[in-house]
Amino acid sequence: GEQLRLRSSPGNVALLTFKKRVDRKEKRYKIRGEYELNLPDIKQARAFIEAMGYKEYFRYYKMREHYKLGEVFVELDRLSGLHFVEVEASRPDIERIAGALELNWGDAMKKGYVTIVRELTGKTGKLRPAQPIIKERKIHARPHEPSK
């Protein structure tokens, strides 16, 4: 579906991202449209989102290393003691980079990090003490429905 994410970075800078699933029929790739805004202050960004009626529903932490190979973005993520590789590029470039990195398509998953963390934590969104994650914080939000 759709997802609104607020990511904080060092220096109190914020990145607001709206993601929308583009192709649900795609078997091998996870295809999403992404729209991003850089914002100068995480507190103001959060206040703005809440003023629009959104409410935080999930939070997780991960560490990410960024690499760029030509027009291909490769992200190495550590989340709850697990390691992930994310490749953002055209299909032919993904195939080429995956082959060069000797990635096994049998290990590929299309789950998002919210789903992965929920599965690891019993849907609480709180990491167990043996699974420390620091550095990059992501806050996911969805429209808040008024109480009846």
Side-chain angles (χ1 to χ4, degrees), residues 51-79:
M52 292 186 340
Y54 287 86
K55 184 177 180 180
E56 179 181 321
Y57 78 95
F58 204 79
R59 182 182 295 207
Y60 66 90
Y61 300 87
K62 74 174 183 183
M63 293 185 71
R64 171 171 271 187
E65 296 177 40
H66 307 274
Y67 298 92
K68 187 173 182 191
L69 303 167
E71 296 301 312
V72 178
F73 293 93
V74 178
E75 315 290 350
L76 303 180
D77 294 342
R78 285 185 284 162
L79 175 72

Side-chain angles (χ1 to χ4, degrees), residues 15-145:
L15 178 65
L16 181 63
T17 306
F18 175 74
K19 295 184 173 194
K20 184 173 185 171
R21 177 73 50 99
V22 175
D23 187 353
R24 290 189 175 275
K25 295 176 185 174
E26 174 63 54
K27 301 287 186 214
R28 189 166 184 151
Y29 305 96
K30 183 175 183 180
I31 301 173
R32 290 184 157 228
E34 290 191 17
Y35 308 90
E36 295 185 328
L37 290 172
N38 287 302
L39 302 166
D41 184 276
I42 189 76
K43 290 179 184 176
Q44 288 181 344
R46 184 189 309 271
F48 182 81
I49 291 169
E50 289 173 355
M52 292 186 340
Y54 287 86
K55 184 177 180 180
E56 179 181 321
Y57 78 95
F58 204 79
R59 182 182 295 207
Y60 66 90
Y61 300 87
K62 74 174 183 183
M63 293 185 71
R64 171 171 271 187
E65 296 177 40
H66 307 274
Y67 298 92
K68 187 173 182 191
L69 303 167
E71 296 301 312
V72 178
F73 293 93
V74 178
E75 315 290 350
L76 303 180
D77 294 342
R78 285 185 284 162
L79 175 72
S80 198
L82 302 173
H83 298 264
F84 300 91
V85 177
E86 182 176 321
V87 180
E88 291 190 19
S90 66
R91 287 182 179 117
D93 282 342
I94 291 172
E95 297 284 342
R96 181 177 55 80
I97 294 297
L101 295 175
E102 298 180 2
L103 299 177
N104 180 350
W105 281 103
D107 293 335
M109 60 173 52
K110 289 172 47 175
K111 294 178 186 177
Y113 288 131
V114 170
T115 301
I116 292 167
V117 171
R118 282 184 169 164
E119 290 173 358
L120 290 170
T121 62
K123 301 188 189 261
T124 66
K126 295 181 181 174
L127 297 173
R128 298 177 184 133
Q131 303 168 334
I133 296 175
I134 57 170
K135 197 168 181 179
E136 188 172 280
R137 180 173 70 187
K138 291 186 178 183
I139 301 166
H140 294 266
R142 64 177 160 210
H144 174 67
E145 295 183 20

Side-chain angles (χ1 to χ4, degrees), residues 4-15:
L4 184 65
R5 177 184 71 203
L6 181 61
R7 178 185 290 169
S8 67
S9 299
N12 202 34
V13 177
L15 178 65

